[in-house]
Every structure is written in structure tokens, then in C-alpha cells.
Amino acid sequence: MEYRRIKDQDKSEAAVIDDLESRPGMCAVLPKSEGKIGDKSKWKLKTVVTLALTFLTSSQAILIVWSKRAGKYDYSVTTANFLVEALKCALSLAALTRLWRTDGVTEDNRLSTTFDEVSVYPIPAALYLVKNLLQYYIFAYVDAPGYQILKNLNIISTGVLYRIILKRKLSEIQWAAFILLCAGCTTAQLNPSSDHVLQTPFQGWIMAIVMALLSGFAGVYTEAIIKKRPSRNINVQNFWLYVFGMAFNAVAILVQDFDAVMNKGFFHGYSLITVLMIVNHALSGIAVSMVMKYADNIVKVYSTSVAMLLTAVVSVFLFNFHLSLAFFLGSTVVSVSVYMHSIGKLQR
Amino acid sequence: MEYRRIKDQDKSEAAVIDDLESRPGMCAVLPKSEGKIGDKSKWKLKTVVTLALTFLTSSQAILIVWSKRAGKYDYSVTTANFLVEALKCALSLAALTRLWRTDGVTEDNRLSTTFDEVSVYPIPAALYLVKNLLQYYIFAYVDAPGYQILKNLNIISTGVLYRIILKRKLSEIQWAAFILLCAGCTTAQLNPSSDHVLQTPFQGWIMAIVMALLSGFAGVYTEAIIKKRPSRNINVQNFWLYVFGMAFNAVAILVQDFDAVMNKGFFHGYSLITVLMIVNHALSGIAVSMVMKYADNIVKVYSTSVAMLLTAVVSVFLFNFHLSLAFFLGSTVVSVSVYMHSIGKLQR
């Protein structure tokens, strides 16, 4: 739904060109004037994809809580991940087919590609795979709630890598806002046992930092790939990203769940919630790509952080959750951070 | 010591005149040029009094922890408060005597005063008395750690009353910084039982808000009194403030501790720590007046907030305190707030 709406506005891609001005080695393929006309529709696109990502991320977390309440996962997580990639691939193809029918096949929306274009697409998928493997080992040093706290290091690593790799500047106020975002999200997640995190052994800290860097790097690298060819249709870019996602997840099925799939079948343990989660993950994944194309990693981080707070508020009504004082304080800090980020942009 | 140093720079009082420009009904008594010459020494004064207040406030909290460890208070708090006011009065007189000997008695440093000047001086002392009385009743609704959390409302009330009564503007970034200061201080003080605060009954909230307003109003009103006559010597202003402080505290002794003082004597239960605390409170009180004269209530709030964090850090070494994750997060937010306040000033 959101996805369709966004697709129809593909022609305004030119609008993202001015985002790329400061980066070397990127050429503007469309005349400047078109970029200016697109300013308003660019803003619209940014807003739509950001809201979609926020909505999908928070409903994702709610589905997870729901599935946990309904009982333990008894399906293979690797098969579900594979299906998420496959569904994203299918949706990208469907969008492309529709586009080919209306606009015909052009240089920008054709599926065929060069080795030069496609060679970088496996990298984010490979980084995520390494990160997911590390995830199993970090639990030797930190418990699950502690890991949730440490995951907020992603915010800082994304900011730093965004600066280094994409060479995009954040104003001083925006940096301050980013530190606040990290502190605010962590505060909102505090619980009486959170102090254990401070006793995390040195190896645990190193792994948490490495994982944050891998995750931040994968995100920033995806943005770099997608923005490198601003006029290329996002659905083609997504198609290639997701093809490699499927390939890497197929390997994960073979390595981790081969026996389970062989004995109990590919779809063993699937339920309505599982299907909803797969659909949700697929749509969120597409929303993330859209945010990378039309906005950036910083917007993505803000969007998912706000989604985390929204989830908690919605859970109060759905699951009778109680909000802690720490949650209110963290939310206040995150709100001020969002405000400062927008102010910092104006004053840059 | 700090006090002496500050006193010697009294002549640069003219420098505060530009602080008053935006307020109606205040006349600049010295020519503009002198105000400009004083800019650097004004900045110096501000820094010295702010650091003195921060140092004294944090050592004050440490003395309180020390005295609690040493045993319960067994002296009358009202007599100690009276002695604090008396000591401040004596120190102001001593400073004045020295000044009279070097500069002679002038219009600005003479002790004699008009009813018009002195009539407003009892108001802050009266406000503090009402607030201290309310303090006994609020504990029917909140426990002591909860009260510590609610006291952070003072930060917001001071900002709001500073804006309304002194008609001084804070920039948007400074307001954001002020909200962060309140959230950060509260976060730093969080402990596993802090969530009880959210169950505070309606009457408790109302009392907490009224107390915050009284405290904020007393602070802002003191600043208004002291700044109303920029050329008037601070020691004379302090003398009159403290005389009324003594009077109100004498009433408090009669009302609350008359029997104890009559039976056990004025100084019953005094120890070395008690004496140190009285000296410390007296010096802090003078530092607060100095901050009101040469800086403002906003600086005072930042100074005491930073002192709160310093106290916790020092307590780690002195009393083997453990710092919580919440403390680190709160300190981060407070640090960003201090940074933003200074940035906000430049951009105003």
C-alpha cells in the first residue's frame, strides 16, 4: 500500500541528486532544474517513507510480543528469513512489471545489469550474516535485556560511519542530538536489572562494539550503493539486494536448519502470526530501502527509535504494559533530540 | 576565601548593567563605556562565583552523607539554620568594614537604607519559610527518594518564572536544554524504586508543584531584588537579606524547637560535622547571592545540577558508592544540556 504510493512517485528520483552533491565520484544524470522542481515531492516522499518505516517497525515489535505471548517459536527462523527476502524480491518484480507496462523498459528500470553495478550488492547481506552469527556468541557475555541496551550503540556507530563513509556532515547540534537519541533510547529501556550491563566483561564490550559497527556499516553501505545511481529505479536496486539476501539465507538454512527442514518440512510450525510477521518484515525491509533512497541512515535511526517508543505506548493498551518513569524520561530526551535534529538542519 | 576574592572586584558591578537592559523600570547608573570595560571582568566574576557555588554545593551534599553515616542528627535543625543566617550576616559585615576602611563610606556601600529599598527583602525569606513548612506535609504523599525526584520540578519552575518575572528570554535551544537538564538530573537519580513516584496521589503532585513554584519564585525574586540596584554593594544587599533570614529562623526556633532549646540548650548535639555544615551552608548561601548578582538563576540551576553529579562521582571514592547505568545516562544528558545552553546563548 505505502509501497505502491511510493513507487508511483519514482519519477521524482532526480530530487535526491542534491543529497549527493557533497560526495565525490557521483554524477548527476538529470539537469539541475528538475531537481529543484522535485523539492516538494522529495519532502513528501521522505515523509511518507519515514512514516511507513516507523509504523511498520512498531507493528513489527508488537507482532513479536504477540507471538511470544501465543507461545514459543516452533518454526525455523532461517526459513522465515528466506521467505522475507523472497517476498521482497517478488514485490519488487511486481512493481517493476507494472512500471514496464506503463512506461516501457528504459535504461533506468531494466533488470539486466553490469558486473560493475551488481558486484557491491552482496556486501550488506554478507555483513548482516556475520553480525547474526556473532549474535549467538555475545550471549555468552550478556543476557538478553543487556543485549537490548547494548544495541543502542548502533545509533552512535551509524552516525560515525555515516560521517566517515558517506562524507556527509552533521552540524554540532545534530551530533548533540544523536548522542541524546542514544542516551534517551537506552534510558527508555532501563529496568531494575539494567545495571548488570556495566558488569559486562571486556570481550562482551568488544563484541557489542564490533556488532554495532557491522550493523552500522551494512546500513551506510546500502545507502551508498542505492544512492550511487540516483536515476536507477529503486525496485531494480531492491531486486538485486534481495536476490543476494535470498542466497545468503539459503546458505543459513543449509548450515543451521537442514535437518529440521528435511524431517519436519519447510513450513513446519508456521501459524497466522508467523505469516503476518513475514509480511511485516518484508514491507519494513522495503521501507528501509526507500528511506535509504529518498532520505538517509540518520532518518532511519530516528524512525526506528521513535517506533520503539510508539510500541511501548501501544503495548500499554494492547497488553496492559506499565510505563516506567525511566520510559517517560527517555521519551522526553528522544523528543528533544528529534526537535534538535530538525533545528540543527535549518541552522547548518 | 572565594568570598574575599569576589568582594575585591565589586567595582565592576557596572558590568551587570547590560544584563538589565531588557527589563523595564531599571535605570543604568553608570555610563555605557564602563560596562564595556567590565565585560571581561564580568565574565571572570561569573566564572568564579559559579565554580564556587558548584564546589560548595557538592561538598555540602558530601557533608550531609558524612553526617548521616556518623549517626542521626541530634541537634535542632532550626538553631543550625539560624546560625547559618547569622554567620552570613557577620561575613557580610566583615567584608563591608574592610571596604569602608579602604574606600570610605559611599552612597553604594552604606548600610543605612530606605523603606522603599528594604521593604522587599523579607519576601524571599517568607517564601522559603512557607516552602519548608509544606515540606513536612508532602511526606504524607511521597517518600524521601520520591521527593528527591519531584524536586527536579524546581528546574522547570525556575525557568518559567525567570521568563515571566524577570522578562528575560531564553532561546529555543536553551529551553530544550532546560528540559534536558530536568530529565537528565532525574534520570541520574533513578533507582529501582523510583517508579513509585508515578503513583503519587493528585494532592502530592499539587504540593510538589506548589513547592517548586515557591522555591523558583523565591530564587527569581531574590535575583530581581539584587539586580534592581546594580551599583549597590552586594554585601549591603546580602546583609539585609540575611537579617530577615535570621528573623524568620528565630520565629521557626520558637515555634518548632522552643522546648528542646530551653531544656537542652541552644547548642545541644552540635559536633564538628555540624559546625562544618553550618560554615558550608553560609558560604554556599553567599555564593548563591553572588551568582544572583553577577550571573542569574539559570546559571544557579546549572551549577547546582552539575554539583549533584560531582557529588555522586566523589562519593564513589569517599564512600564506595556504585554508579548506576541511569547515572551515566543522566550525566550524559546533563552534559549535552550544558553544551546546548552555551551554544544557545551564542546563537541568540
Side-chain angles (χ1 to χ4, degrees):
Chain A
M1 331 73 53
E2 290 297 356
Y3 175 58
R4 291 275 170 222
R5 255 204 284 165
I6 291 152
K7 194 201 66 66
D8 294 343
Q9 291 172 328
D10 259 352
K11 287 157 211 155
S12 65
E13 273 172 5
V16 294
I17 289 174
D18 61 344
D19 259 355
L20 302 165
E21 281 176 349
S22 56
R23 293 196 290 130
M26 311 263 157
C27 54
V29 238
L30 280 160
K32 260 266 117 111
S33 58
E34 274 194 52
K36 283 210 173 167
I37 294 166
D39 264 5
K40 208 180 159 187
S41 85
K42 175 192 167 189
W43 184 86
K44 244 186 174 174
L45 251 178
K46 257 193 179 179
T47 311
V48 169
V49 295
T50 308
L51 290 179
L53 180 60
T54 311
F55 170 76
L56 288 165
T57 311
S58 66
S59 55
Q60 188 175 310
I62 288 165
L63 281 174
I64 291 174
V65 177
W66 188 20
S67 77
K68 275 187 186 162
R69 296 238 155 169
K72 276 184 79 179
Y73 302 107
D74 46 2
Y75 59 92
S76 307
V77 177
T78 51
T79 62
N81 287 345
F82 177 84
L83 288 176
V84 167
E85 296 300 313
L87 181 56
K88 290 195 286 188
C89 230
L91 287 170
S92 300
L93 267 180
L96 277 175
T97 319
R98 213 184 133 198
L99 192 67
W100 291 330
R101 224 176 291 147
T102 54
D103 293 15
V105 179
T106 68
E107 181 71 13
D108 289 338
N109 71 23
R110 67 185 165 75
L111 211 55
S112 61
T113 176
T114 59
F115 177 76
D116 182 50
E117 182 182 357
V118 92
S119 61
V120 285
Y121 279 70
I123 294 175
L127 288 170
Y128 280 122
L129 188 77
V130 175
K131 200 206 99 189
N132 288 339
L133 283 173
L134 274 180
Q135 203 157 322
Y136 288 94
Y137 295 102
I138 197 169
F139 286 114
Y141 304 105
V142 217
D143 56 359
Y147 177 61
Q148 287 300 320
I149 297 273
L150 288 176
K151 261 172 78 177
N152 291 307
L153 288 171
N154 284 0
I155 296 175
I156 301 296
S157 72
T158 301
V160 172
L161 293 169
Y162 177 82
R163 174 72 192 87
I164 296 175
I165 296 174
L166 294 178
K167 298 200 174 58
R168 301 277 300 277
K169 276 190 184 159
L170 291 174
S171 68
E172 283 179 5
I173 294 180
Q174 287 181 319
W175 275 115
F178 227 56
I179 293 169
L180 287 178
L181 184 67
C182 182
C185 285
T186 315
T187 303
Q189 294 172 325
L190 282 180
N191 62 57
S193 69
S194 300
D195 277 356
H196 292 317
V197 174
L198 296 176
Q199 271 92 55
T200 304
F202 184 69
Q203 298 99 310
W205 280 107
I206 295 294
M207 285 184 76
I209 291 169
V210 168
M211 283 173 67
L213 287 173
L214 282 171
S215 163
F217 191 72
V220 169
Y221 201 83
T222 307
E223 184 179 340
I225 291 174
I226 288 180
K227 289 224 174 105
K228 197 179 175 189
R229 290 177 169 78
S231 67
R232 197 75 162 112
N233 188 286
I234 177 70
N235 293 300
V236 177
Q237 296 181 309
N238 278 350
F239 175 82
W240 286 109
L241 270 178
Y242 304 150
V243 160
F244 289 105
M246 279 171 75
F248 277 96
N249 278 294
V251 173
I253 295 178
L254 292 177
V255 173
Q256 250 177 274
D257 288 321
F258 183 75
D259 289 343
V261 169
M262 278 298 141
N263 296 333
K264 298 195 253 171
F266 193 91
F267 293 102
H268 74 91
Y270 276 59
S271 66
L272 175 67
I273 299 179
T274 322
V275 174
L276 285 176
M277 281 173 77
I278 288 171
V279 172
N280 184 299
H281 269 82
L283 293 176
S284 314
I286 290 169
V288 168
S289 285
M290 295 283 178
V291 166
M292 298 297 174
K293 181 94 180 174
Y294 303 113
D296 54 42
N297 266 284
I298 305 298
V299 169
K300 184 199 155 200
V301 167
Y302 273 99
S303 167
T304 47
S305 300
V306 170
M308 187 266 287
L309 301 182
L310 277 184
T311 307
V313 174
V314 172
S315 300
V316 170
F317 299 100
L318 289 185
F319 311 114
N320 277 318
F321 271 29
H322 283 286
L323 295 181
S324 65
L325 179 58
F327 179 82
F328 284 114
L329 295 169
S331 306
T332 306
V333 173
V334 169
S335 308
V336 173
S337 165
V338 171
Y339 166 75
M340 280 170 62
H341 181 77
S342 62
I343 271 202
K345 207 174 251 163
L346 297 171
Q347 292 182 339
R348 190 155 44 167
Chain B
M1 332 74 51
E2 292 296 355
Y3 175 59
R4 289 276 171 224
R5 254 203 285 165
I6 291 152
K7 193 203 66 65
D8 293 343
Q9 291 171 328
D10 258 352
K11 287 157 210 154
S12 65
E13 273 171 6
V16 295
I17 288 173
D18 61 344
D19 259 354
L20 302 165
E21 281 176 349
S22 55
R23 292 197 290 129
M26 313 262 158
C27 53
V29 240
L30 280 159
K32 260 272 104 130
S33 58
E34 274 193 51
K36 284 211 172 166
I37 294 167
D39 265 6
K40 208 180 159 187
S41 85
K42 173 192 167 188
W43 184 85
K44 245 186 171 174
L45 252 177
K46 255 192 179 180
T47 311
V48 169
V49 294
T50 308
L51 290 179
L53 180 60
T54 311
F55 170 75
L56 288 165
T57 310
S58 66
S59 56
Q60 190 175 307
I62 288 165
L63 281 173
I64 290 174
V65 177
W66 188 21
S67 76
K68 273 187 189 162
R69 296 239 154 167
K72 276 186 78 179
Y73 303 107
D74 47 3
Y75 58 90
S76 306
V77 177
T78 52
T79 62
N81 287 345
F82 178 84
L83 288 175
V84 167
E85 297 299 314
L87 182 54
K88 291 195 285 189
C89 229
L91 287 170
S92 300
L93 267 181
L96 278 175
T97 319
R98 213 183 135 199
L99 191 68
W100 292 331
R101 225 176 292 147
T102 55
D103 294 14
V105 178
T106 68
E107 180 72 11
D108 288 337
N109 71 23
R110 66 184 166 78
L111 211 55
S112 61
T113 176
T114 59
F115 177 77
D116 182 50
E117 182 183 356
V118 93
S119 60
V120 286
Y121 280 69
I123 294 174
L127 288 169
Y128 281 121
L129 190 77
V130 176
K131 199 206 101 190
N132 289 339
L133 283 172
L134 274 180
Q135 203 156 324
Y136 288 93
Y137 295 102
I138 197 168
F139 287 113
Y141 304 105
V142 219
D143 56 359
Y147 177 62
Q148 286 301 319
I149 296 273
L150 288 176
K151 260 172 79 177
N152 291 307
L153 288 171
N154 283 1
I155 296 175
I156 300 296
S157 72
T158 301
V160 171
L161 292 169
Y162 177 81
R163 173 73 192 87
I164 295 175
I165 296 174
L166 294 179
K167 299 200 173 58
R168 301 277 300 277
K169 275 189 185 161
L170 291 173
S171 67
E172 283 178 5
I173 295 180
Q174 287 182 318
W175 274 115
F178 228 56
I179 294 169
L180 287 178
L181 184 67
C182 182
C185 285
T186 314
T187 303
Q189 293 172 325
L190 281 180
N191 62 58
S193 68
S194 299
D195 278 357
H196 292 318
V197 174
L198 296 176
Q199 272 93 53
T200 305
F202 184 70
Q203 298 98 311
W205 279 108
I206 294 294
M207 285 184 76
I209 291 168
V210 168
M211 283 173 68
L213 287 173
L214 282 171
S215 163
F217 190 72
V220 169
Y221 201 82
T222 307
E223 184 179 339
I225 292 174
I226 289 181
K227 289 223 174 107
K228 195 179 176 188
R229 290 178 168 77
S231 67
R232 196 74 161 114
N233 188 285
I234 178 69
N235 293 301
V236 177
Q237 296 181 310
N238 278 349
F239 175 83
W240 285 109
L241 270 178
Y242 304 150
V243 160
F244 290 105
M246 280 171 74
F248 277 97
N249 278 293
V251 174
I253 295 177
L254 292 177
V255 173
Q256 250 178 275
D257 288 321
F258 183 75
D259 289 344
V261 170
M262 279 297 140
N263 296 332
K264 299 194 253 172
F266 192 92
F267 293 101
H268 73 90
Y270 275 58
S271 66
L272 175 67
I273 299 179
T274 322
V275 174
L276 286 176
M277 281 173 76
I278 288 171
V279 172
N280 184 297
H281 269 82
L283 294 176
S284 315
I286 290 169
V288 168
S289 285
M290 294 285 178
V291 167
M292 298 297 173
K293 180 96 180 173
Y294 304 112
D296 53 42
N297 267 284
I298 306 297
V299 169
K300 184 200 154 200
V301 167
Y302 273 99
S303 167
T304 47
S305 300
V306 170
M308 188 266 287
L309 302 181
L310 277 183
T311 307
V313 174
V314 172
S315 300
V316 170
F317 300 100
L318 289 184
F319 310 114
N320 277 318
F321 271 28
H322 285 285
L323 295 182
S324 65
L325 178 57
F327 178 81
F328 284 114
L329 294 169
S331 306
T332 306
V333 173
V334 169
S335 307
V336 173
S337 165
V338 171
Y339 166 75
M340 279 169 62
H341 180 77
S342 63
I343 270 202
K345 208 175 252 165
L346 297 172
Q347 292 182 339
R348 190 154 45 165

